[in-house]
Structures are given as C-alpha cells and as structure tokens.
Amino acid sequence: MYNIYSWFSTSFTVPSNWTGSNVLLNFGAIDYEATVFVNGHNATFHRGGYFAFTVDVTSYLNNGANELLVFVHDPTDEDPYIIPVGKQTLHPSHIFYTPCSGIWQSVWIESAPSNYITELYISAGMNGTVNATVSTSSSNGSTVSISIMDRNSKNTIATHSGISGSSFAFTVSSPKLWSPSSPNLYDMVVTVDRDTVYRYTGFRTISRGVVNGIERPLLNGKFLFQFGTLDQGFWPDGIYVPPNKEAMVYDLQTLKNLGFNMLRKHIKVETALYYQACDEIGLMVVQDMPSLRPLQTKTLSNCTVETILPNDAQQAEFQRQLELLVTQQKPFPSIVTWVIYNEGWGQRLDYFPEFALTDLVRRLDPTRLIDSTTGWYDHGAGDFSDNHHYANPQCGSPFYSIPSSPYDPSRIGIQGEFGGIGNNVTIDHLWNVQEAIATINQTYELDTTLDAWNYRSHRLLGEILDQVKMYACSGGIWTQTTDVEGEVNGLLTYDRRVLRPNVSQWRSDIQALYNAGAARTNMSTPVLSSF
C-alpha cells in the first residue's frame, strides 16, 4: 500500500518483570520519514526508508496500555524531492515499479539495563584476527567480554576482554573460513555489565590483487570468479515485503541450486534475515546503495530539458544515508562489495562525487571492495571497471559500448549487468496491471519459447565464458532473479511459480565459468594491490 502521508496506530503493554529496566522501541525500516509518538510524547524522528533505528521510550511509558503512533511522510519521486528511492516511482513504467510506504520491516520492544550495548561491530579475517568495536549507552570505558563458539560443536574456541568505545583485536587459532562452498559461521556472546548480545561472524578476507598480470577480486587470498543475478526484491503481494521468510529464502536457495555463488542486491536494502540467509547459504552479496531519482528530467522556462540531480543539501543527505547503509550492514560476512552509483542515477556530473564517497566508504569499512559506479559514469574511482551491456557481455574485454567505459586494466573487470532476455507468460503469472503489460515489449529481447530462451541463455553464458578465458573478466551479474511487474526477464516469474532455466544446462554453464576462472590462476601468492 502506498500513501504520501499516513498514520500507524497500535497499543502495547510492557511485561511486569521489566520493572527497573530501560524499554527500547525498535524499527527495522520505515519508508521514508517517521515521527514516533508514545503516549502523546514526540519520542523521535527518523529519515531514510531503508535503515533501522531504536529509541529509548522508558520515560514516556504508562502502567498498563501504551499508545504508539507513527506519522510517515513518503514523497518517493514527487517534486521537489530527490531522495534515495531505488526503483520506486509514483509513475510505474517498465523498469521502475510500484512504490511502497510506511512501516515495512519489523517493530518490537525489548528490555535493557541502564548501560546497554548500542553498537556492535565485529569483523573476522582469514588469519583468525578478530577486530571489535563495542559502544554503550553510558559513558564508554566499560569492560567488554566476547566469547566465540563453534556453531556445530558448541565449544568455546576463544574469549577476550576489551573496553567499550575503543577498538580492540584478538586472534582465533585456525578458524574454518567462510566461502560460498563452505559457509562456516561462529556464534558469539558479547557482554557489557548486565547486558548480553548474541551475534555470529564468519572468518573471511576480501581483497584485490594481481594474479597472472590481471587485477582480480580475492576471497581468502584466492581469485574466485563471482557469478550472480541482479536481485531486486520485489513481490506481487507485498511490493518490498515478501509474504514470509520462507518465500524470501526460496529465491536465494533457487540461485544456490542453479550454481550461482553471488547476487547483486539491486538498489534496495533488505531485512537482516535476508543477509543472515545469505551468510548461512553461502551467497556473496554485492550491495547497492539505493539510488536517487533515476532517469528523470524537467523542462526549464527556456524550454531546455535538464536531468534531475541533487542539490548540495540533497547530496549531503545521500552521503549521510550511504554512511547508514555501510554502518548497518557491515556485520554480515556475505557482503563483499559496496556499490555507490548505478548507471549515473542521481550522480552529479558538475564534479565527481564518487571519489570522495569512495574514500568515505573505505574509511567506514576497509574490509570490502567498492564498485563506485556500476555501468556509468566511470571516472576511475573504486576497485572495479564495471560494464553494463544487454544482452551480450563486454567483460574485461577490448570492446565496449558507450555509455560504459573501456576496460581499465588497473582495476577489476566485471560485467555488472547483462542478459536480460525475456520470455512472456500467461496472464496468471503476470503482474495484472495494464500499464505494466503494455511495456513488456520493451524487454531487451523476447524469446517466444522456453527452449529458445534457454538456447539464448546458453549462448550468452558462452560469450562471457570466452571473455573469462581470453580477457580479464572476473565476474558477471545476470539480469535477473525474478520478473518484476512489466519485466519478464527473470529466472523465475513474478509469482515464483515458473522456473525458466534448464537446470542441468545452467549448472554446467555456470560451473564452466568457475573452472575457466580457476584455470587463469596459479598457486603462487597474488601481488596485493593497495586500495
């Protein structure tokens, strides 16, 4: 359901055994601006449709029932707003979709002691080094205790103490590493005073290096060809919201069963359960920042047409929310790359903001790679030379098509998007909205039978295979996981009832990509590149 303005109302009671504790009210995400009232008191304001926030409501509570009101403003791409919206628009058409608004992730209360953990970041590398930062609600300087347990045996394999508010590190001996083929995870217990938080982590290192003369992405020190889908996360019955966890995991498991080892979460941020599933299944995640208003123009008084781009204040807000994205999502080991801009959407060209934003993301999270501009406009920032081209790939190759740029051998060559071939289906599997149905013919290519669709897929996968063997292709992203509204180019239909791929063919074609990538490496130690 979409509304520019909306109110949400409910009541809640606090368990009697929470007496003396702080009561925290948590929101997974509200799109877009939320003002929260508890028993008539203005408890907090939050801006940003993809990010979690927490407010201590202890001082606003009554004995017995408590009233919770949330006022939401969600302008999406209404003038004059230029905000992170991803693929949402008030005017859906083909690759831009029905918007959602309001509370679209979980809401819950919890009890906490007077000094509780407010921020917890732990990263674990392939050499066993654990880096931790723990912040608390009171003045920092409290003792932090961390225990790490083997998830299978439940045995404690390491303990360490540090001080809240300061980064500290320790080493775990010979951990089992996380990778798509062995997604090993370790459980953690973190304690500060009377507060205890349960988390998990995976030991892995993301880096880049020169392997046989080519810049490559490295997982645990080795080049692994990354192949995934453009994963948009839209649903016919909930738009941004899947019907349940099982449906969400079904999409991910379908990708894993076909042989993909990665996905690109396309200009949307999912629930924590989504990333936990990727951690557990073993799917690397390339995480996009939700884009500002894409591909929209305005006509000036002199009748010239101008692309709608952010002003200085809107650019600053985009940067603030990019910081929220990295800070919120960086605990998940499956995330291997951050994407800042997609195809120039909201990217100012009067200067090159991606350079400063890349530096910012690098400071916030030096443990991952950065794809500063996937597709275009590429001025040389970040770790990737990223080409978009439909339907055929142009990956790390000596040929390209504008507006993508020629392959830059000083960075990693990847195919950020390709494929996108479609196959129309009967009305019972379509988004039954006439405006969407009318745009189906805008699909990059339409194949009239599934046999033809699989044949064309095989040929396109064969092309990128050649580019892995002959050139400098290090990864590819196929468009896309599922159909969305007027797009019929998914591996699955929008209702998830038709799986288009010939499974054995696709598994074989994808495995050939991994084999070709492995054949381009050797067992010598890669020459590591500086970021």
Side-chain angles (χ1 to χ4, degrees):
M1 180 178 177
Y2 174 77
N3 289 291
I4 293 177
Y5 299 100
S6 54
W7 283 94
F8 296 83
S9 173
T10 191
S11 62
F12 65 95
T13 58
V14 176
S16 58
N17 59 355
W18 288 11
T19 301
S21 298
N22 291 52
V23 177
L24 308 181
L25 176 61
N26 302 279
F27 295 88
I30 300 178
D31 193 6
Y32 168 71
E33 294 176 328
T35 307
V36 179
F37 300 90
V38 177
N39 293 324
H41 298 278
N42 188 336
T44 194
F45 171 82
H46 182 267
R47 176 181 290 124
Y50 300 93
F51 309 110
F53 63 100
T54 298
V55 57
D56 188 331
V57 297
T58 309
S59 61
Y60 307 129
L61 297 177
N62 298 325
N63 293 323
N66 294 275
E67 179 190 55
L68 172 62
L69 292 173
V70 181
F71 175 68
V72 177
H73 173 220
D74 182 18
T76 308
D77 55 354
E78 178 187 48
D79 288 330
Y81 296 94
I82 302 176
I83 63 175
V85 293
K87 286 286 196 87
Q88 301 179 87
T89 176
L90 296 177
H91 308 284
S93 177
H94 196 46
I95 67 168
F96 301 106
Y97 315 131
T98 303
C100 76
S101 62
I103 302 172
W104 68 279
Q105 293 190 24
S106 298
V107 182
W108 71 100
I109 59 171
E110 62 179 315
S111 65
S114 57
N115 185 28
Y116 58 89
I117 296 170
T118 57
E119 185 176 83
L120 169 60
Y121 175 59
I122 295 177
S123 65
M126 60 179 285
N127 62 356
T129 299
V130 179
N131 291 285
T133 304
V134 181
S135 300
T136 60
S137 59
S138 299
S139 58
N140 286 310
S142 302
T143 298
V144 178
S145 298
I146 298 180
S147 297
I148 298 182
M149 288 82 66
D150 183 278
R151 178 164 281 194
N152 295 321
S153 70
K154 309 302 182 184
N155 293 331
T156 299
I157 63 169
T159 59
H160 190 80
S161 295
I163 300 298
S164 65
S166 301
S167 299
F168 55 92
F170 59 97
T171 301
V172 174
S173 178
S174 302
K176 294 176 286 187
L177 302 186
W178 186 94
S179 72
S181 60
S182 55
N184 298 302
L185 298 172
Y186 288 83
D187 292 317
M188 299 186 298
V189 179
V190 182
T191 302
V192 175
D193 295 338
R194 295 190 299 113
D195 193 24
T196 299
V197 172
Y198 299 90
R199 285 283 183 89
Y200 67 87
T201 193
F203 288 82
R204 93 288 180 270
T205 297
I206 310 301
S207 58
R208 58 181 275 200
V210 178
V211 181
N212 288 341
I214 299 174
E215 284 284 345
R216 300 293 196 184
L218 305 178
L219 174 63
N220 300 327
K222 297 180 181 179
F223 168 49
L224 172 65
F225 188 85
Q226 299 181 9
F227 195 61
T229 59
L230 198 72
D231 192 78
Q232 306 222 51
F234 277 77
W235 301 83
D237 45 1
I239 309 301
Y240 258 21
V241 184
N244 49 44
K245 179 184 176 183
E246 290 75 19
M248 179 181 67
V249 172
Y250 173 79
D251 279 8
L252 301 175
Q253 195 62 61
T254 296
L255 299 181
K256 188 72 174 182
N257 291 343
L258 286 169
F260 293 98
N261 63 11
M262 177 264 280
L263 60 84
R264 177 180 164 204
K265 177 41 62 180
H266 190 37
I267 49 181
K268 181 192 177 190
V269 186
E270 295 285 2
T271 67
L273 289 174
Y274 177 94
Y275 299 95
Q276 179 182 333
C278 291
D279 292 340
E280 293 173 346
I281 291 171
L283 281 170
M284 295 180 287
V285 176
V286 173
Q287 176 63 55
D288 288 12
M289 172 63 189
S291 63
L292 301 169
R293 287 173 65 170
L295 301 183
Q296 295 187 359
T297 59
K298 60 183 176 182
T299 302
L300 304 180
S301 58
N302 62 2
C303 296
T304 59
V305 177
E306 181 179 273
T307 301
I308 295 174
L309 291 171
N311 59 28
D312 289 347
Q314 292 160 340
Q315 181 68 27
E317 180 62 21
F318 176 79
Q319 176 176 317
R320 185 189 73 85
Q321 293 191 34
L322 175 63
E323 294 182 48
L324 290 178
L325 169 71
V326 175
T327 302
Q328 175 177 294
Q329 302 305 118
K330 67 181 181 178
F332 296 103
S334 56
I335 297 177
V336 297
T337 299
W338 303 112
V339 175
I340 299 176
Y341 286 111
N342 174 76
E343 295 185 349
W345 297 356
Q347 180 186 2
R348 287 176 58 166
L349 299 177
D350 54 340
Y351 68 106
F352 301 154
E354 64 270 19
F355 283 93
L357 294 176
T358 298
D359 291 342
L360 170 67
V361 173
R362 194 89 73 195
R363 289 193 301 271
L364 291 172
D365 180 15
T367 71
R368 292 178 172 92
L369 302 181
I370 302 171
D371 192 347
S372 303
T373 54
T374 178
W376 56 85
Y377 299 101
D378 183 10
H379 304 108
D383 298 305
F384 293 91
S385 179
D386 182 339
N387 179 288
H388 289 189
H389 190 256
Y390 289 101
N392 310 70
Q394 301 174 338
C395 185
S397 66
F399 44 87
Y400 72 101
S401 298
I402 293 173
S404 282
S405 301
Y407 164 61
D408 174 5
S410 70
R411 293 178 293 156
I412 300 163
I414 62 167
Q415 189 66 42
E417 294 181 22
F418 81 113
I421 59 174
N423 165 250
N424 208 347
V425 289
T426 55
I427 190 65
D428 50 319
H429 299 298
L430 287 173
W431 178 245
N432 193 3
V433 175
Q434 186 55 46
E435 290 81 1
I437 293 171
T439 65
I440 287 174
N441 285 338
Q442 295 179 30
T443 304
Y444 304 106
E445 171 183 307
L446 282 169
D447 302 314
T448 57
T449 67
L450 281 181
D451 284 344
W453 185 91
N454 276 285
Y455 164 75
R456 289 289 294 139
S457 301
H458 175 65
R459 300 298 295 180
L460 294 173
L461 294 174
E463 285 193 35
I464 197 169
L465 175 62
D466 286 345
Q467 292 164 28
V468 178
K469 292 178 177 178
M470 298 172 61
Y471 303 127
C473 183
S474 292
I477 296 167
W478 178 274
T479 300
Q480 58 185 328
T481 303
T482 74
D483 296 350
V484 185
E485 301 195 6
E487 290 191 82
V488 292
N489 53 8
L491 303 178
L492 288 160
T493 51
Y494 201 17
D495 61 1
R496 277 70 170 177
R497 294 184 182 276
V498 177
L499 178 67
R500 292 188 174 98
N502 177 311
V503 174
S504 61
Q505 171 198 304
W506 274 75
R507 285 177 177 168
S508 177
D509 287 342
I510 293 172
Q511 185 60 50
L513 296 173
Y514 302 146
N515 293 344
R520 297 295 304 274
T521 69
N522 56 39
M523 297 306 293
S524 61
T525 302
V527 179
L528 297 181
S529 303
S530 59
F531 286 150

mmCIF file of all heavy atoms in Angstrom, residues 1 14 48 60 62 92 111-112 118-119 129-130 155 179 194 215 219 231 285 318 324 356 413 462 485:
data_model
loop_
_atom_site.group_PDB
_atom_site.id
_atom_site.type_symbol
_atom_site.label_atom_id
_atom_site.label_comp_id
_atom_site.label_asym_id
_atom_site.label_seq_id
_atom_site.Cartn_x
_atom_site.Cartn_y
_atom_site.Cartn_z
ATOM 1 N N MET A 1 0.847 -1.201 0.000
ATOM 2 C CA MET A 1 0.000 0.000 0.000
ATOM 3 C C MET A 1 0.874 1.240 0.000
ATOM 4 O O MET A 1 1.892 1.290 0.691
ATOM 5 C CB MET A 1 -0.912 -0.001 1.229
ATOM 6 C CG MET A 1 -1.825 1.195 1.338
ATOM 7 S SD MET A 1 -2.902 1.062 2.788
ATOM 8 C CE MET A 1 -3.749 2.627 2.689
ATOM 9 N N VAL A 14 3.953 -3.346 28.611
ATOM 10 C CA VAL A 14 5.309 -3.753 28.968
ATOM 11 C C VAL A 14 5.211 -4.866 30.010
ATOM 12 O O VAL A 14 4.485 -4.736 31.000
ATOM 13 C CB VAL A 14 6.103 -2.565 29.532
ATOM 14 C CG1 VAL A 14 7.486 -3.006 29.993
ATOM 15 C CG2 VAL A 14 6.195 -1.463 28.485
ATOM 16 N N GLY A 48 14.975 8.202 6.233
ATOM 17 C CA GLY A 48 15.688 7.165 5.496
ATOM 18 C C GLY A 48 14.878 5.886 5.473
ATOM 19 O O GLY A 48 14.637 5.281 6.525
ATOM 20 N N TYR A 60 8.509 7.697 28.685
ATOM 21 C CA TYR A 60 7.196 8.032 28.127
ATOM 22 C C TYR A 60 6.114 7.008 28.490
ATOM 23 O O TYR A 60 4.950 7.186 28.094
ATOM 24 C CB TYR A 60 7.268 8.116 26.603
ATOM 25 C CG TYR A 60 8.342 9.025 26.079
ATOM 26 C CD1 TYR A 60 9.236 8.579 25.106
ATOM 27 C CD2 TYR A 60 8.475 10.333 26.549
ATOM 28 C CE1 TYR A 60 10.233 9.405 24.618
ATOM 29 C CE2 TYR A 60 9.469 11.170 26.066
ATOM 30 C CZ TYR A 60 10.349 10.697 25.101
ATOM 31 O OH TYR A 60 11.335 11.524 24.620
ATOM 32 N N ASN A 62 3.395 4.422 30.423
ATOM 33 C CA ASN A 62 2.403 4.337 31.488
ATOM 34 C C ASN A 62 2.400 2.933 32.065
ATOM 35 O O ASN A 62 2.901 1.979 31.448
ATOM 36 C CB ASN A 62 0.996 4.624 30.930
ATOM 37 C CG ASN A 62 0.878 6.022 30.360
ATOM 38 O OD1 ASN A 62 1.481 6.957 30.858
ATOM 39 N ND2 ASN A 62 0.075 6.144 29.306
ATOM 40 N N PRO A 92 4.835 4.201 -12.296
ATOM 41 C CA PRO A 92 5.482 2.957 -12.720
ATOM 42 C C PRO A 92 5.482 2.791 -14.238
ATOM 43 O O PRO A 92 4.483 3.088 -14.912
ATOM 44 C CB PRO A 92 4.635 1.877 -12.039
ATOM 45 C CG PRO A 92 3.987 2.563 -10.881
ATOM 46 C CD PRO A 92 3.730 3.956 -11.345
ATOM 47 N N SER A 111 13.730 -5.113 26.606
ATOM 48 C CA SER A 111 14.225 -4.528 27.848
ATOM 49 C C SER A 111 15.743 -4.468 27.818
ATOM 50 O O SER A 111 16.398 -5.296 27.174
ATOM 51 C CB SER A 111 13.756 -5.340 29.053
ATOM 52 O OG SER A 111 14.332 -6.637 29.033
ATOM 53 N N ALA A 112 16.306 -3.492 28.495
ATOM 54 C CA ALA A 112 17.758 -3.343 28.555
ATOM 55 C C ALA A 112 18.132 -2.749 29.902
ATOM 56 O O ALA A 112 17.371 -1.976 30.484
ATOM 57 C CB ALA A 112 18.235 -2.434 27.422
ATOM 58 N N THR A 118 24.855 -0.350 22.414
ATOM 59 C CA THR A 118 24.160 0.394 21.367
ATOM 60 C C THR A 118 24.711 0.109 19.976
ATOM 61 O O THR A 118 24.003 0.267 18.984
ATOM 62 C CB THR A 118 24.257 1.901 21.632
ATOM 63 O OG1 THR A 118 25.644 2.271 21.728
ATOM 64 C CG2 THR A 118 23.537 2.268 22.925
ATOM 65 N N GLU A 119 25.963 -0.257 19.890
ATOM 66 C CA GLU A 119 26.579 -0.547 18.597
ATOM 67 C C GLU A 119 27.608 -1.648 18.772
ATOM 68 O O GLU A 119 28.395 -1.626 19.730
ATOM 69 C CB GLU A 119 27.249 0.705 18.027
ATOM 70 C CG GLU A 119 27.803 0.526 16.620
ATOM 71 C CD GLU A 119 28.366 1.818 16.056
ATOM 72 O OE1 GLU A 119 29.533 2.117 16.377
ATOM 73 O OE2 GLU A 119 27.635 2.526 15.333
ATOM 74 N N THR A 129 42.305 -13.143 12.886
ATOM 75 C CA THR A 129 42.235 -11.895 13.632
ATOM 76 C C THR A 129 40.797 -11.387 13.705
ATOM 77 O O THR A 129 40.103 -11.307 12.689
ATOM 78 C CB THR A 129 43.116 -10.816 12.986
ATOM 79 O OG1 THR A 129 44.474 -11.249 12.989
ATOM 80 C CG2 THR A 129 43.024 -9.496 13.741
ATOM 81 N N VAL A 130 40.356 -11.070 14.916
ATOM 82 C CA VAL A 130 39.030 -10.527 15.152
ATOM 83 C C VAL A 130 39.183 -9.072 15.580
ATOM 84 O O VAL A 130 39.885 -8.776 16.555
ATOM 85 C CB VAL A 130 38.276 -11.316 16.234
ATOM 86 C CG1 VAL A 130 36.899 -10.708 16.489
ATOM 87 C CG2 VAL A 130 38.159 -12.780 15.852
ATOM 88 N N ASN A 155 31.382 -25.706 21.294
ATOM 89 C CA ASN A 155 32.545 -25.476 22.139
ATOM 90 C C ASN A 155 33.032 -24.038 21.999
ATOM 91 O O ASN A 155 33.034 -23.468 20.895
ATOM 92 C CB ASN A 155 33.688 -26.421 21.762
ATOM 93 C CG ASN A 155 33.367 -27.873 22.071
ATOM 94 O OD1 ASN A 155 32.611 -28.164 22.993
ATOM 95 N ND2 ASN A 155 33.942 -28.782 21.297
ATOM 96 N N SER A 179 33.166 -19.227 2.946
ATOM 97 C CA SER A 179 33.182 -19.069 1.496
ATOM 98 C C SER A 179 31.870 -19.626 0.969
ATOM 99 O O SER A 179 31.134 -20.309 1.699
ATOM 100 C CB SER A 179 34.370 -19.811 0.875
ATOM 101 O OG SER A 179 34.157 -21.213 0.926
ATOM 102 N N ARG A 194 25.480 -5.836 32.691
ATOM 103 C CA ARG A 194 24.366 -6.789 32.745
ATOM 104 C C ARG A 194 23.695 -7.003 31.396
ATOM 105 O O ARG A 194 22.660 -7.659 31.306
ATOM 106 C CB ARG A 194 23.325 -6.300 33.765
ATOM 107 C CG ARG A 194 23.825 -6.277 35.206
ATOM 108 C CD ARG A 194 22.710 -6.021 36.217
ATOM 109 N NE ARG A 194 22.058 -4.734 36.001
ATOM 110 C CZ ARG A 194 20.798 -4.578 35.595
ATOM 111 N NH1 ARG A 194 20.041 -5.640 35.327
ATOM 112 N NH2 ARG A 194 20.287 -3.366 35.449
ATOM 113 N N GLU A 215 44.267 -7.715 -12.540
ATOM 114 C CA GLU A 215 43.640 -7.349 -11.269
ATOM 115 C C GLU A 215 42.432 -8.253 -11.024
ATOM 116 O O GLU A 215 41.551 -8.376 -11.887
ATOM 117 C CB GLU A 215 43.187 -5.893 -11.289
ATOM 118 C CG GLU A 215 44.313 -4.888 -11.118
ATOM 119 C CD GLU A 215 44.811 -4.772 -9.689
ATOM 120 O OE1 GLU A 215 44.112 -5.251 -8.763
ATOM 121 O OE2 GLU A 215 45.900 -4.216 -9.501
ATOM 122 N N LEU A 219 39.031 -13.747 -2.523
ATOM 123 C CA LEU A 219 38.347 -14.221 -1.331
ATOM 124 C C LEU A 219 39.309 -15.155 -0.617
ATOM 125 O O LEU A 219 39.730 -16.167 -1.183
ATOM 126 C CB LEU A 219 37.048 -14.954 -1.689
ATOM 127 C CG LEU A 219 36.311 -15.616 -0.526
ATOM 128 C CD1 LEU A 219 35.845 -14.574 0.488
ATOM 129 C CD2 LEU A 219 35.139 -16.456 -1.017
ATOM 130 N N ASP A 231 19.333 -8.934 -8.176
ATOM 131 C CA ASP A 231 18.268 -9.377 -7.273
ATOM 132 C C ASP A 231 17.544 -8.148 -6.740
ATOM 133 O O ASP A 231 18.087 -7.387 -5.940
ATOM 134 C CB ASP A 231 18.871 -10.194 -6.128
ATOM 135 C CG ASP A 231 17.810 -10.923 -5.334
ATOM 136 O OD1 ASP A 231 17.326 -11.962 -5.800
ATOM 137 O OD2 ASP A 231 17.469 -10.441 -4.236
ATOM 138 N N VAL A 285 27.350 -11.221 -1.503
ATOM 139 C CA VAL A 285 26.404 -10.136 -1.796
ATOM 140 C C VAL A 285 27.175 -8.900 -2.244
ATOM 141 O O VAL A 285 28.086 -8.439 -1.549
ATOM 142 C CB VAL A 285 25.544 -9.791 -0.567
ATOM 143 C CG1 VAL A 285 24.632 -8.600 -0.858
ATOM 144 C CG2 VAL A 285 24.726 -10.998 -0.126
ATOM 145 N N PHE A 318 22.175 12.200 0.821
ATOM 146 C CA PHE A 318 22.553 10.936 0.187
ATOM 147 C C PHE A 318 23.803 10.365 0.852
ATOM 148 O O PHE A 318 23.876 9.168 1.155
ATOM 149 C CB PHE A 318 22.799 11.167 -1.302
ATOM 150 C CG PHE A 318 23.279 9.946 -2.050
ATOM 151 C CD1 PHE A 318 22.384 8.962 -2.445
ATOM 152 C CD2 PHE A 318 24.617 9.790 -2.365
ATOM 153 C CE1 PHE A 318 22.820 7.831 -3.145
ATOM 154 C CE2 PHE A 318 25.075 8.678 -3.059
ATOM 155 C CZ PHE A 318 24.167 7.700 -3.448
ATOM 156 N N LEU A 324 24.880 5.360 6.742
ATOM 157 C CA LEU A 324 23.985 4.463 7.478
ATOM 158 C C LEU A 324 24.002 3.062 6.877
ATOM 159 O O LEU A 324 24.024 2.058 7.613
ATOM 160 C CB LEU A 324 22.560 5.013 7.461
ATOM 161 C CG LEU A 324 22.260 6.270 8.268
ATOM 162 C CD1 LEU A 324 20.801 6.675 8.085
ATOM 163 C CD2 LEU A 324 22.568 6.059 9.750
ATOM 164 N N ALA A 356 35.121 11.175 -3.442
ATOM 165 C CA ALA A 356 35.026 11.442 -2.006
ATOM 166 C C ALA A 356 34.160 10.398 -1.309
ATOM 167 O O ALA A 356 34.470 9.972 -0.179
ATOM 168 C CB ALA A 356 34.459 12.842 -1.768
ATOM 169 N N GLY A 413 37.962 -6.059 -13.783
ATOM 170 C CA GLY A 413 36.965 -6.050 -14.841
ATOM 171 C C GLY A 413 35.802 -6.973 -14.527
ATOM 172 O O GLY A 413 35.990 -8.170 -14.328
ATOM 173 N N GLY A 462 28.006 -18.597 -22.860
ATOM 174 C CA GLY A 462 29.193 -18.996 -23.615
ATOM 175 C C GLY A 462 30.057 -17.799 -23.993
ATOM 176 O O GLY A 462 31.296 -17.898 -24.024
ATOM 177 N N GLU A 485 6.881 -6.839 -12.281
ATOM 178 C CA GLU A 485 5.836 -6.045 -12.948
ATOM 179 C C GLU A 485 5.926 -6.226 -14.465
ATOM 180 O O GLU A 485 5.680 -7.312 -14.979
ATOM 181 C CB GLU A 485 5.897 -4.595 -12.464
ATOM 182 C CG GLU A 485 5.697 -4.516 -10.944
ATOM 183 C CD GLU A 485 5.380 -3.147 -10.401
ATOM 184 O OE1 GLU A 485 5.193 -2.192 -11.186
ATOM 185 O OE2 GLU A 485 5.299 -3.006 -9.159
#
